[in-house]
Amino acid sequence: MSLDKYWAKRDFGKTPEPRGKAVKAGKQLAYFIQKHDARNLHYDFRLELDGTLKSWAIPKGPSLDPADKRLAVHVEDHPLEYGLFEGEIPAREYGAGKVQVWDKGVWEADGDPADGYRRGHLKLTLNGVKLSGRWALVRMGAPKQEKENWLLIKEKDSAARTGKDADITRLQPDSVLAKPAKKNAPKRTPEVESPEAAGALETAMPEMIRPQLATLADRAPHGDAWLSEIKFDGYRAVCRIENKTAALFTRTGNDWSKKWKTIADAAAQLPVTQAWLDGEVVAIDEHGAISFQLLQNIARNAAPGRLAYYVFDLLYLNGYDLRPLPLAERKALLEALLEKADPEGPLLYSQHVDGNPADVFSHACMHALEGIIAKRADAPYESARNNNWLKVKCQLRQEFVIGGYTDPAGSREKFGALLLGVHDDAGQLHYAGRVGTGFADATLKALHKDFRKLAATASPFVKAPPRSGAPALHWLKPALIAEVKFAQWTDGGLVRHASFVGLRKDKPAREIRREKPVPVEEAAAPAQPRRPTGAAADAKGPTVAGVRLTHPSRALFPETGITKLKLARYYEDIAEWVLPHLAQRPLTLVRCPNGGGQQCFFQKHANDTIGPGIEKIEVPGGDAATYMMVNSIPSLIGMVQMSVLELHTWGARNGHLDQPDRIIFDLDPAPGLDWMRVVEAAQLIRGLLDEIGLASFVKTTGGKGLHVVVPIKPEKSWAEIKAFSRAIAEHLEKMLPDRFTASMSKAKRGGRIFVDYLRNALEATAVAAYSTRARLGAPVSTPLAWEELGEEIRSDTFTVLNLRARLDSLKQDPWADYFLLKQRVTAKMQRTFGAN
């Protein structure tokens, strides 16, 4: 577009807008966002390109939340001078109303900006007064002459925000020309220096920050690039301070401010307006030693003892996000801040030693400490587990799931030993030995009280421990976590000479894996230089979970900016949630080599093109065939390498493929049907199942309906389960013919919901929990609690971009009991619906 359309729409004798002209591009490309209070308030987003300002009208304005995809209507080019125009466009003139310069700065594109604009997929980095970081502008549909619809999307990076913090137009509404944009930033307190260091981002404070996690290394690294801190024996906690109120959160996001009130009260008195701290809560006994069991006793029964909070990082301070700064700079700011704290209070600065962690580790072990955390002094803070932080332990020690216990022997009361387990990547629990020492009397009593609530009739382990020559074994639901120290692992995967340290409640049991230290040579390797983009990057490709990705920058969901690499990282991040739903099940795949919305195809059978680590399984039947299974993180990433956008699972697992272990009712609404009708239908089915004694679970499909899922013992045939589910669907149609139909014919649906029972047939599949769908926006099939069903959550509400935030916000897994239920479809139930 030239400026002809711009000139034709305006009378420059009446409007103060500049006439302007196309100019030669400078070394840096400018961008502007103008707040335009015309007939409807909107924001005009303008990017300098080819001598003019390419322009989009954004009705809601930009959002810092990657989940918000803001409509951007492409309008005529504007002259470069227009970017700094502020004023009143007179009534009855085109665009009449007030114009303000809401933001300004410079931008750069990934690759050739003109090519990205022409293709309708601009990946850009903004460096402005209010906006920063990575963004995407994506055209929806084919190019048009006028008013193309595009989407403006914030990408996930350190400048992204969620909730109220993402509403940047509300938080900073004023012009960047009329007055400083800092008007709405928190007031600085004179006691604390403003952290206006290079690299700090001036932005609204995040509602929540996930802690960075350390990688277990087999030895301490060498060199001056590291600093070393003591590995504390306590609970990890981040602390949010705002306006003299402080809250403490565990690593899984649970608010434990009341449990640690003395620490929260002390943090609230720090001379700051806003801050985020990271550290470890510990208990200190009467001898000045840190005691993990004392920490538990204080939390359980208010036992006497002193709580302390060793703070080792400062993530946010008075309007500035410090996470992009090097660790050494963040710790210097933290030390200056904590000098203002009460020296007799519970807030303690975590001292460190610069350089050569190997020497520090040797001294730590000589003094009977648990170990050290070695951290790269020049690294930013990242809310993930990575090799910038390495933990090195003086002795073998880790968490285990408690899957049962033995009867007491001798003078011991309550129980003898705990039966320990660890999960594999597929979420299955494997027996890992016993621990029968290290228990105080109070601990024995408290644990035994917990056991009564978690009693189970069957072993939670894949293979139960042997009973011969041992006291009676009692099974538990695998919900409790024990911290245990031990001498070594046996070749059979069992712990030797184990001693109980304490019970952990700051993380879910499903996260517990056997800790396997990585070689320090690998973990402490120098950071690699930034990879090239384009063809050079695609030729080599990055590695995720050990799987090399080809074409990592290929857009699999173009409208969201989700590439193959981003999808692989999504699955790596949520592997502990999705793998239990995939493990040992034959799969049907939806593969989209060119991304969603393009040519996709189903694949059932394994062939020579399957990705690395993907296992094969022979299925029964007259036409026996080889299917695929995903039982580990590498095989899951291998699916992404194959451009798989949907994972559909059988209703049976390996070992009993002729007997399903679930029933699925897929609620498929007629076009245009109100969402609340689908919600009500799911609740009606739940009530019906409850009446006959079957507990059910609900999840979104990522499409337009819901799945009601019933876990069952694998003992009935496919034919019996299909007949049973069909009988229930037909019963619903008979009782409520205006709401339900058991016929899959769309012509006969007539504003009703099809209860699809056909998912319960041999070789039929259903989309797996936490799988993406090959649909606009990268929606994810997401398990819900029944109480969550309502107007707010739709079938496509949760996506690759916002699912992690949902999981972090959960107080407990809504499907926590799904794999624990051992319910049966009885003959009486079958007779109730005439399914015999």
Side-chain angles (χ1 to χ4, degrees):
M1 290 190 284
S2 68
L3 294 176
D4 291 342
K5 291 183 180 179
Y6 170 81
W7 292 328
K9 291 181 177 182
R10 291 160 177 83
D11 183 344
F12 295 102
K14 297 179 181 179
T15 179
E17 298 165 280
R19 188 177 194 281
K21 61 182 180 179
V23 298
K24 185 177 180 180
K27 292 183 179 180
Q28 285 190 311
L29 297 175
Y31 87 87
F32 305 92
I33 300 179
Q34 286 164 307
K35 185 178 180 179
H36 192 172
D37 195 359
R39 182 171 53 186
N40 294 303
L41 177 66
H42 64 275
Y43 292 78
D44 293 312
F45 185 50
R46 311 193 193 281
L47 298 177
E48 178 187 356
L49 188 62
D50 295 335
T52 63
L53 292 175
K54 305 300 180 187
S55 299
W56 291 262
I58 305 175
K60 293 185 178 182
S63 168
L64 303 184
D65 190 342
D68 293 337
K69 296 176 278 293
R70 291 295 165 85
L71 176 66
V73 181
H74 202 352
V75 297
E76 73 275 8
D77 289 3
H78 285 53
L80 198 60
E81 300 97 306
Y82 200 97
L84 294 175
F85 167 69
E86 281 196 339
E88 190 82 28
I89 301 175
R92 292 184 294 278
E93 292 301 305
Y94 178 78
K98 185 178 180 181
V99 177
Q100 290 180 307
V101 180
W102 181 81
D103 193 23
K104 65 185 181 73
V106 295
W107 74 284
E108 58 180 322
D110 287 4
D112 181 5
D115 180 60
Y117 171 73
R118 188 166 48 252
R119 290 188 296 105
H121 196 153
L122 261 177
K123 305 276 283 186
L124 54 148
T125 299
L126 301 182
N127 185 7
V129 178
K130 298 179 181 177
L131 301 187
S132 62
R134 296 179 59 78
W135 296 73
L137 260 173
V138 183
R139 182 172 57 223
M140 300 172 66
K144 296 193 299 185
Q145 289 297 316
E146 291 194 17
K147 292 193 174 183
E148 296 173 335
N149 287 332
W150 293 54
L151 295 173
L152 177 66
I153 307 163
K154 180 74 187 82
E155 294 201 355
K156 279 189 175 181
D157 57 19
S158 60
R161 298 292 180 266
T162 58
K164 294 180 180 179
D165 291 335
D167 193 357
I168 187 67
T169 58
R170 178 185 63 83
L171 293 171
Q172 299 191 37
D174 297 325
S175 164
V176 293
L177 302 184
K179 58 188 73 175
K182 300 178 184 178
K183 175 184 175 185
N184 293 289
K187 294 181 180 179
R188 309 278 189 253
T189 56
E191 296 89 345
V192 179
E193 183 180 355
S194 299
E196 299 182 16
L201 296 175
E202 187 175 14
T203 185
M205 184 166 73
E207 286 293 326
M208 178 57 69
I209 293 180
R210 292 174 58 212
Q212 178 163 333
L213 303 176
T215 297
L216 180 64
D218 64 349
R219 300 188 309 282
H222 293 269
D224 296 331
W226 302 84
L227 59 82
S228 302
E229 298 170 344
I230 292 174
K231 187 179 186 304
F232 294 105
D233 199 0
Y235 280 158
R236 182 73 175 280
V238 289
C239 178
R240 189 183 198 274
I241 307 169
E242 185 169 28
N243 298 323
K244 298 300 178 183
T245 301
L248 289 149
F249 302 92
T250 67
R251 55 173 282 188
T252 53
N254 294 322
D255 188 340
W256 282 15
S257 306
K258 291 182 179 178
K259 292 185 179 183
W260 299 327
K261 187 176 185 302
T262 56
I263 296 172
D265 290 346
Q269 298 308 309
L270 287 173
V272 296
T273 304
Q274 293 179 316
W276 270 103
L277 312 176
D278 190 2
E280 189 98 352
V281 174
V282 302
I284 301 176
D285 65 21
E286 65 271 19
H287 304 295
I290 294 174
S291 170
F292 187 73
Q293 280 216 358
L294 177 59
L295 179 61
Q296 292 212 302
N297 294 340
I298 292 173
R300 186 185 290 272
N301 53 25
R306 176 191 171 199
L307 288 179
Y309 185 37
Y310 277 97
V311 188
F312 46 68
D313 218 325
L314 179 61
L315 314 181
Y316 184 93
L317 180 62
N318 291 345
Y320 285 86
D321 189 340
L322 307 185
R323 288 174 289 179
L325 295 180
L327 172 62
E329 293 184 29
R330 300 197 306 272
K331 290 210 70 173
L333 288 166
L334 173 64
E335 186 173 18
L337 172 61
L338 291 182
E339 286 177 354
K340 311 292 184 181
D342 180 358
E344 302 298 322
L347 301 184
L348 304 174
Y349 176 65
S350 175
Q351 300 284 348
H352 65 268
V353 178
D354 292 313
N356 204 9
D359 288 345
V360 181
F361 177 67
S362 296
H363 283 82
C365 296
M366 287 171 57
H367 289 83
L369 297 176
E370 186 186 345
I372 66 167
I373 304 292
K375 302 179 179 180
R376 289 191 183 273
D378 62 349
Y381 189 97
E382 299 178 6
S383 295
R385 190 182 302 280
N386 58 46
N387 291 349
N388 290 330
W389 290 12
L390 301 179
K391 56 183 175 182
V392 194
K393 297 182 179 182
C394 294
Q395 57 183 341
L396 290 176
R397 173 171 165 166
Q398 73 156 74
E399 297 102 2
F400 293 88
V401 179
I402 302 174
Y405 62 95
T406 66
D407 281 340
S411 60
R412 171 70 65 83
E413 295 183 357
K414 304 303 181 184
F415 63 87
L418 302 180
L419 307 178
L420 306 176
V422 289
H423 289 106
D424 59 21
D425 286 339
Q428 295 183 304
L429 189 66
H430 294 266
Y431 177 62
R434 308 179 185 199
V435 58
T437 63
F439 303 104
D441 288 341
T443 305
L444 286 168
K445 294 176 183 176
L447 278 171
H448 195 257
K449 183 178 179 181
D450 288 336
F451 292 168
R452 289 200 296 268
K453 303 173 187 175
L454 296 170
T457 57
S459 167
F461 302 109
V462 174
K463 183 179 180 181
R467 292 175 178 267
S468 59
L473 306 183
H474 304 275
W475 308 121
L476 297 172
K477 295 178 182 178
L480 297 177
I481 302 172
E483 179 102 6
V484 176
K485 57 185 179 181
F486 54 100
Q488 66 179 141
W489 288 97
T490 69
D491 292 341
L494 305 180
V495 294
R496 292 190 63 203
H497 305 307
S499 178
F500 179 79
V501 176
L503 199 67
R504 299 202 71 101
K505 293 192 175 181
D506 59 336
K507 59 183 71 174
R510 64 173 175 274
E511 288 187 5
I512 304 305
R513 305 283 193 274
R514 176 174 171 175
E515 293 187 354
K516 296 180 180 179
V518 298
V520 71
E521 294 83 5
E522 175 186 332
Q528 296 298 312
R530 184 179 296 275
R531 290 186 180 275
T533 57
D538 284 353
K540 190 170 184 181
T543 297
V544 177
V547 177
R548 181 75 65 186
L549 297 178
T550 59
H551 307 293
S553 60
R554 176 172 291 162
L556 295 184
F557 295 93
E559 73 284 355
T560 65
I562 295 171
T563 61
K564 180 186 282 189
L565 177 58
K566 287 187 176 180
L567 185 61
R569 287 177 174 162
Y570 158 79
Y571 276 121
E572 181 186 40
D573 186 37
I574 64 135
E576 68 192 77
W577 295 82
V578 65
L579 281 173
H581 296 278
L582 301 174
Q584 303 300 323
R585 294 186 186 273
L587 298 175
T588 295
L589 315 175
V590 176
R591 296 180 62 182
C592 305
N594 296 312
Q598 304 297 318
Q599 186 71 34
C600 299
F601 62 91
F602 280 92
Q603 180 176 342
K604 286 186 176 184
H605 302 153
N607 56 31
D608 293 338
T609 68
I610 67 173
I614 297 171
E615 296 181 40
K616 298 178 181 179
I617 179 173
E618 297 296 325
V619 303
D623 297 323
T626 304
Y627 278 60
M628 291 164 280
M629 291 191 298
V630 165
N631 296 327
S632 66
I633 298 177
S635 61
L636 181 60
I637 305 305
M639 288 290 175
V640 180
Q641 166 59 15
M642 294 167 59
S643 298
V644 173
L645 297 194
E646 296 187 10
L647 296 159
H648 295 251
T649 59
W650 270 40
R653 290 181 182 269
N654 189 19
H656 50 80
L657 291 177
D658 55 344
Q659 295 170 319
D661 62 2
R662 74 179 184 207
I663 304 172
I664 286 187
F665 297 97
D666 181 2
L667 305 187
D668 186 5
L673 198 65
D674 183 74
W675 171 249
M676 288 307 294
R677 288 283 297 275
V678 184
V679 170
E680 291 166 3
Q683 294 285 16
L684 285 168
I685 293 176
R686 179 198 185 191
L688 179 63
L689 294 169
D690 279 346
E691 285 183 15
I692 64 172
L694 288 176
S696 59
F697 298 79
V698 66
K699 69 181 179 76
T700 67
T701 64
K704 56 183 180 177
L706 291 169
H707 281 169
V708 177
V709 188
V710 183
I712 57 173
K713 291 195 72 171
E715 52 191 12
K716 300 284 187 181
S717 68
W718 284 103
E720 288 177 289
I721 294 303
K722 181 182 177 183
F724 179 64
S725 60
R726 176 176 181 172
I728 291 177
E730 291 174 344
H731 174 80
L732 289 165
E733 180 183 47
K734 180 180 179 180
M735 300 304 295
L736 296 167
D738 60 327
R739 289 177 177 265
F740 296 105
T741 177
S743 170
M744 67 182 300
S745 170
K746 292 186 177 181
K748 297 179 180 179
R749 204 160 299 183
R752 295 178 293 173
I753 294 170
F754 170 43
V755 184
D756 185 355
Y757 60 88
L758 299 172
R759 306 282 179 185
N760 304 300
L762 178 64
E763 296 191 16
T765 60
V767 66
Y770 303 109
S771 167
T772 57
R773 301 301 304 273
R775 296 171 179 262
L776 189 69
V780 173
S781 177
T782 307
L784 305 175
W786 279 107
E787 296 73 20
E788 291 183 281
L789 280 187
E791 187 69 39
E792 296 294 320
I793 296 179
R794 302 297 180 106
S795 193
D796 58 356
T797 292
F798 297 112
T799 69
V800 170
L801 298 176
N802 64 18
L803 184 74
R804 181 72 253 180
R806 166 178 169 75
L807 298 180
D808 289 343
S809 71
L810 292 174
K811 295 191 182 304
Q812 65 177 21
D813 182 355
W815 281 29
D817 294 332
Y818 179 83
F819 295 106
L820 303 177
L821 282 179
K822 306 295 182 184
Q823 55 190 359
R824 285 185 160 97
V825 173
T826 66
K828 181 179 178 181
M829 295 176 186
Q830 293 173 292
R831 287 194 299 272
T832 299
F833 296 102
N836 286 70

